[in-house]
Amino acid sequence: MKIDCVLKAVGECRSGDNATTGRRWFIRPIEVEWQENRLRGDGTTYTIDNTLKVDLFGEHAQNFSLAVGSNVTIDVRFETSIYNGKTINSIRSTFIILR
């Protein structure tokens, strides 16, 4: 799912090695914000503010250089995995582009 949004906050990059493949991974948490128009039952519209925290994954996380306040488009995917018998939900993006 692609979202046109504004970059609200950028966290520190974390990295490590995949235990199975040995490949290096990079994750940087970011927060984005966008507005969405909704329709009421009576036909009038209203605007809601949306905020989403996303883990930027891969090369874009390592080489991130966009400033807070930038208008960007991100591609978001939702993942579920099981670790030690617990279900873990995550929201990730593999790319972010400046609009």
Side-chain angles (χ1 to χ4, degrees):
M1 172 170 61
K2 290 184 181 177
I3 302 173
D4 293 330
C5 51
V6 175
L7 191 58
K8 188 175 177 184
V10 178
E12 293 295 318
C13 187
R14 300 184 319 261
S15 65
D17 295 316
N18 185 308
T20 306
T21 64
R23 291 180 55 203
R24 192 92 170 138
W25 54 262
F26 299 92
I27 292 179
R28 181 181 302 268
I30 62 171
E31 187 173 344
V32 295
E33 184 176 66
W34 72 99
Q35 291 183 330
E36 186 176 342
N37 292 325
R38 297 278 176 99
L39 187 62
R40 290 189 176 104
D42 63 1
T44 61
T45 59
Y46 63 101
T47 302
I48 59 170
D49 294 326
N50 296 294
T51 301
L52 183 65
K53 292 184 179 181
V54 178
D55 286 330
L56 187 58
F57 192 74
E59 191 177 303
H60 287 284
Q62 181 185 14
N63 303 323
F64 194 82
S65 63
L66 296 176
V68 171
S70 299
N71 290 318
V72 296
T73 300
I74 62 171
D75 185 34
V76 178
R77 69 178 192 268
F78 305 93
E79 297 179 351
T80 301
S81 58
I82 298 175
Y83 180 74
N84 287 340
K86 294 182 181 181
T87 301
I88 300 169
N89 296 315
S90 62
I91 303 170
R92 290 194 171 171
S93 177
T94 52
F95 80 88
I96 182 169
I97 55 174
L98 190 61
R99 286 190 286 132

